[in-house]
Amino acid sequence: RGQPYPDELDQNENSIVSQFSPEWKRTFNVWFSYADGSTARTHAIQVALRSYRPTYLHFWQTKSFWHDTKIVDDDIDIHSFEEMEAVPAIEATDVEDYHAKLVIEEMKAFRQEFLGVLTG
């Protein structure tokens, strides 16, 4: 987040970026498919592709593909970039969004109640 898209970079006449139309985002699509892998690897790939705003294909049931070498629509979840974009964890005290703060407070209260039940 916070990084410029390729068409937002400094465009002097000798720049490679200046050779491309700012409309590239409407005609260029990237689809990112994953079925398994470490969180770190998935996040690294996601960060590398961020400027392309990929659509994500999640193969949650790979048995059809591996055993029958066919892809079944029911085995694939399609998610937009906005649904799947993740950001690194931050301190709960640094959260600024009002609704997120409410969720955090509820989670803390639930945890305390849960621990109270466990310890009697």
Side-chain angles (χ1 to χ4, degrees):
R1 293 184 180 202
Q3 297 295 315
Y5 286 102
D7 61 321
E8 297 170 335
L9 297 173
D10 181 31
Q11 293 188 12
N12 63 49
E13 60 188 55
N14 297 325
S15 156
I16 292 176
V17 174
S18 66
Q19 298 173 23
F20 297 96
S21 166
E23 300 299 314
W24 71 271
K25 286 185 268 187
R26 287 200 278 168
T27 60
F28 187 78
N29 295 298
V30 173
W31 292 63
F32 176 49
S33 168
Y34 63 100
D36 197 4
S38 71
T39 304
R41 182 175 55 237
T42 302
H43 183 69
I45 294 168
Q46 180 185 29
V47 168
L49 295 175
R50 188 186 75 69
S51 62
Y52 302 108
R53 304 178 66 78
T55 299
Y56 291 83
L57 303 176
H58 179 219
F59 288 79
W60 62 273
Q61 182 65 270
T62 57
K63 291 177 185 172
S64 301
F65 180 72
W66 293 117
H67 297 295
D68 302 328
T69 61
K70 64 180 179 180
I71 296 176
V72 179
D73 288 343
D74 292 340
D75 292 349
I76 304 169
D77 291 330
I78 299 174
H79 301 281
S80 69
F81 172 78
E82 289 75 19
E83 290 176 307
M84 296 301 290
E85 184 181 31
V87 294
I90 61 171
E91 291 290 330
T93 55
D94 294 339
V95 173
E96 296 178 7
D97 181 73
Y98 173 75
H99 293 101
K101 285 181 180 181
L102 290 176
V103 170
I104 291 168
E105 292 307 314
E106 279 297 315
M107 291 172 66
K108 286 180 179 179
F110 176 79
R111 181 180 185 273
Q112 287 304 112
E113 184 180 334
F114 180 77
L115 292 174
V117 170
L118 287 179
T119 58

